[in-house]
Amino acid sequence: MLLKLIGYIYNQNTLWEDLGRILHFLPGWLKVFLAGGFAIVFIAAFLVIMVMFQTWLERKEAGHIQSRHGPMRVGLWHGWAQPIADTIKLLLKEDITPKACDLWVFRLAPIVVFIPAFMAYVCVPFGNGLIASDLNLGVIYILAITSLVVTAIIMAGWSSGNKFAVMSAFRSAAQIVSYEIPMIIAILSAVLAVGSFKMGDFVAAQQNFWLILFFPVQTIAFLIYFISAVAETNRAPFDLPEAESELVAGYFTEYSGMKFALFFLAEYTNMVTVSAVATTIFLGGWTLFGLENIIPPFFIFLGKVLFLLFVIIWFRWTFPRLRIDQLMNFCWKVLLPLSLIILVLSGLLASVNVYDRVFDLINNI
Amino acid sequence: MENNYNIVFLFMLAGAAMGLVGMGLATLIRPHRPNELKLDTYECGPKTVGKTWIQYNFRFYTYVLVFLLFDIEAVYLIPWAQAFKHIARHGIGDFIFPEMAGLFIFTEMLVFLLILIIGLIYAWKKGALEWTKDHRKIKRMTGF
């Protein structure tokens, strides 16, 4: 019931019509403002809950992989209240601004890192109609917005006046910029199969089958995308920018209190973003072979995203950290040639309409 | 909502507002007791030596040059990928063989990609994709 209510509130196509009937006297821009406001409230609540859950999941998973329990004390059941305690702690922490820093850049960086992380959610389809704005350039928009994170990282690293932070920012820039290319090319090979940049079209095309299940080409494209995405979010085994054994905490070494919390929030938000994009483009979004009529689509989407997040956290406790030259070699000498081959193969399949024929065949069964 | 870019602007404002509100809220309740030692640059104990804003490893520069090349390539691939399916299905204008239109634009892009792949191989052979100059020595010493 509650979900239906949220769905109604958030499904702006119906909201648009109903509101239009009731509030016909309001100007158009105000209606857009209201609809966008609903979307923003929904997504902000979703993200805060997801990030809190992720911090708990990460500790629990780490604990169980290393044969211990992880947090158990806060809250009655398996330390469920740990994220809430952490939030309160971060709010109450003293905010230290070191003397050596470039003050305004230092202050702006946490906000600049959070804005693109939040903006990426404009065209993530959470469920049937649960999309803030199905942009006609959705995929390109998400790629463009998420790559803006690197600006904030450079700002933070450079303005801190700390050698660790500067080194980390440069490493991070080189890494994020490099891994962007295999990522874009892997996504383009999926775009060739669907023929659209709209996130909604990706879900609609994969109603009855997922791209990665029937085409080995797309399976490899998904793997390339996923590996690049893990590198883009600076997660282990690609966490060189924040390698704690050599660079303390990387580009946010000098940050404390709420500013640190915003970096943390942005990083975990980006993890959710890449999982959501991988889910939508390669794993069929909120569809599950007809089960979306029984289970609410939002929960199917959530399940897939949580599974991918689980895998990303699993990576961290499985693979050792790469060395910087191995990291760059892996991108430029393995992923990039592989993604170009995948793009050519995908283009070949699309040019003889194989994708369309398979789509039609399966939709007609 | 269908394809409304005003929402993007609203999201930008909301993202900034969330960051500012979070930081503002913390300002109200957190303690503020700075002293000399706290405001020092953190460096695991010892005092910082020399400037922080120094020139950095030149290797980043060659990577960025190669990156620019491939980023622009991606920009050219984007419209191609968008139009591909439509052309493969419906053909281009008055092209002689409508059923071959897909293969035709595929070959066109293949030529473009091949030129870029030759460029990548050139950069590779020239050593632009090596992080260190003595990578063979490192390989011998560490084994991988």
Side-chain angles (χ1 to χ4, degrees):
Chain A
M1 182 59 208
L2 184 70
L3 203 81
K4 209 166 180 178
L5 192 71
I6 293 170
Y8 174 74
I9 287 170
Y10 197 72
N11 185 345
Q12 289 149 7
N13 288 322
T14 51
L15 183 79
W16 190 257
E17 289 160 18
D18 295 353
L19 268 184
R21 231 171 283 131
I22 303 163
L23 304 169
H24 57 90
F25 53 87
L26 285 179
W29 62 268
L30 196 60
K31 287 183 207 162
V32 173
F33 192 81
L34 283 175
F38 280 128
I40 286 164
V41 169
F42 174 84
I43 289 171
F46 171 79
L47 284 180
V48 167
I49 292 168
M50 278 304 273
V51 170
M52 282 184 155
F53 178 72
Q54 249 175 299
T55 57
W56 180 82
L57 180 74
E58 175 141 29
R59 287 169 180 187
K60 283 313 244 189
E61 202 177 325
H64 283 279
I65 286 175
Q66 297 171 343
S67 298
R68 46 188 183 85
H69 286 295
M72 290 294 273
R73 296 290 172 87
V74 189
L76 290 175
W77 184 80
H78 286 263
W80 65 270
Q82 188 68 43
I84 298 169
D86 283 343
T87 315
I88 294 168
K89 184 201 80 172
L90 282 169
L91 267 173
L92 294 175
K93 277 275 174 189
E94 183 176 358
D95 188 65
I96 298 164
T97 313
K99 277 181 300 185
C101 74
D102 188 343
L103 195 61
W104 273 101
V105 185
F106 186 81
R107 279 182 188 160
L108 274 178
I111 298 170
V112 174
V113 80
F114 185 69
I115 292 172
F118 186 68
M119 276 174 80
Y121 283 86
V122 170
C123 52
V124 170
F126 290 93
N128 197 356
L130 279 172
I131 181 166
S133 175
D134 200 358
L135 305 179
N136 51 2
L137 289 174
V139 178
I140 305 297
Y141 168 79
I142 285 185
L143 285 173
I145 285 291
T146 50
S147 66
L148 283 179
V149 169
V150 75
T151 321
I153 288 176
I154 294 265
M155 279 169 74
W158 187 260
S159 67
S160 290
N162 184 320
K163 290 195 182 72
F164 294 121
V166 175
M167 218 175 282
S168 155
F170 277 115
R171 274 192 193 179
S172 184
Q175 175 182 332
I176 292 181
V177 147
S178 302
Y179 276 86
E180 218 161 83
I181 293 170
M183 188 164 156
I184 293 174
I185 294 176
I187 284 190
L188 280 182
S189 57
V191 169
L192 284 178
V194 175
S196 169
F197 286 131
K198 270 192 178 183
M199 296 296 263
D201 287 356
F202 274 93
V203 180
Q206 298 180 75
Q207 284 280 359
N208 294 319
F209 81 144
W210 303 349
L211 274 181
I212 67 157
L213 286 185
F214 289 80
F215 302 112
V217 168
Q218 299 295 343
T219 315
I220 300 170
F222 168 71
L223 290 177
I224 293 172
Y225 172 77
F226 197 59
I227 293 169
S228 311
V230 171
E232 285 265 300
T233 50
N234 293 332
R235 291 288 303 183
F238 308 106
D239 63 343
L240 280 150
E242 11 189 298
E244 59 267 31
S245 49
E246 34 180 320
L247 290 179
V248 191
Y251 49 87
F252 46 72
T253 303
E254 293 289 1
Y255 283 89
S256 52
M258 207 55 204
K259 291 195 184 104
F260 170 79
L262 279 175
F263 275 105
F264 197 73
L265 195 65
E267 191 183 320
Y268 278 82
T269 306
N270 281 332
M271 274 167 72
V272 182
T273 313
V274 296
S275 304
V277 173
T279 301
T280 309
I281 292 180
F282 294 102
L283 299 175
W286 46 265
T287 63
L288 193 73
F289 309 115
L291 274 179
E292 68 267 15
N293 298 324
I294 306 161
I295 310 167
F298 176 72
F299 287 124
I300 295 174
F301 175 83
L302 197 64
K304 289 177 184 176
V305 168
L306 284 178
F307 173 72
L308 289 180
L309 288 174
F310 181 83
V311 174
I312 293 178
I313 295 169
W314 189 359
F315 278 175
R316 179 169 174 188
W317 306 104
T318 308
F319 299 120
R321 186 180 296 134
L322 293 175
R323 212 170 53 211
I324 185 89
D325 60 319
Q326 291 169 334
L327 178 97
M328 298 309 259
N329 279 354
F330 183 63
C331 174
W332 289 100
K333 296 181 180 174
V334 180
L335 285 184
L336 180 61
L338 194 65
S339 63
L340 285 172
I341 293 169
I342 290 300
L343 181 71
V344 169
L345 286 177
S346 183
L348 195 63
L349 286 180
S351 64
V352 289
N353 282 327
V354 171
Y355 288 123
D356 279 4
R357 282 175 200 163
V358 177
F359 274 125
D360 290 345
L361 198 72
I362 294 187
N363 286 333
N364 289 336
I365 288 172
Chain B
M1 193 179 292
E2 197 73 7
N3 193 23
N4 190 328
Y5 279 87
N6 296 326
I7 303 272
V8 176
F9 182 65
L10 278 182
F11 266 67
M12 194 176 83
L13 293 183
M18 281 166 74
L20 287 172
V21 165
M23 275 158 73
L25 196 68
T27 317
L28 295 178
I29 53 177
R30 70 172 183 229
H32 183 65
R33 285 185 284 277
N35 65 38
E36 263 315 276
L37 281 174
K38 269 187 201 170
L39 299 181
D40 250 2
T41 299
Y42 178 79
E43 210 159 287
C44 310
K47 284 253 174 206
T48 322
V49 178
K51 279 194 297 183
T52 305
W53 294 311
I54 46 168
Q55 286 191 335
Y56 206 67
N57 194 346
F58 183 73
R59 305 310 303 166
F60 288 105
Y61 188 68
T62 54
Y63 277 107
V64 168
L65 277 182
V66 184
F67 162 74
L68 273 182
L69 180 81
F70 278 92
D71 215 30
I72 289 168
E73 176 221 355
V75 170
Y76 281 115
L77 284 173
I78 285 166
W80 171 73
Q82 165 78 26
F84 198 109
K85 202 169 180 191
H86 182 79
I87 292 175
R89 196 180 262 176
H90 304 291
I92 326 164
D94 44 358
F95 192 60
I96 307 170
F97 308 109
E99 66 276 13
M100 297 290 277
L103 277 174
F104 174 68
I105 61 164
F106 169 69
T107 322
E108 272 188 331
M109 193 41 83
L110 197 61
V111 172
F112 176 65
L113 277 179
L114 275 179
I115 295 169
L116 270 162
I117 289 170
I118 292 167
L120 179 67
I121 293 169
Y122 177 75
W124 192 332
K125 288 287 166 207
K126 273 282 180 187
L129 304 183
E130 303 298 338
W131 187 260
T132 49
K133 285 203 179 90
D134 48 354
H135 58 101
R136 287 193 187 83
K137 195 172 147 198
I138 289 176
K139 204 168 188 176
R140 235 183 302 125
M141 281 161 63
T142 59
F144 57 94

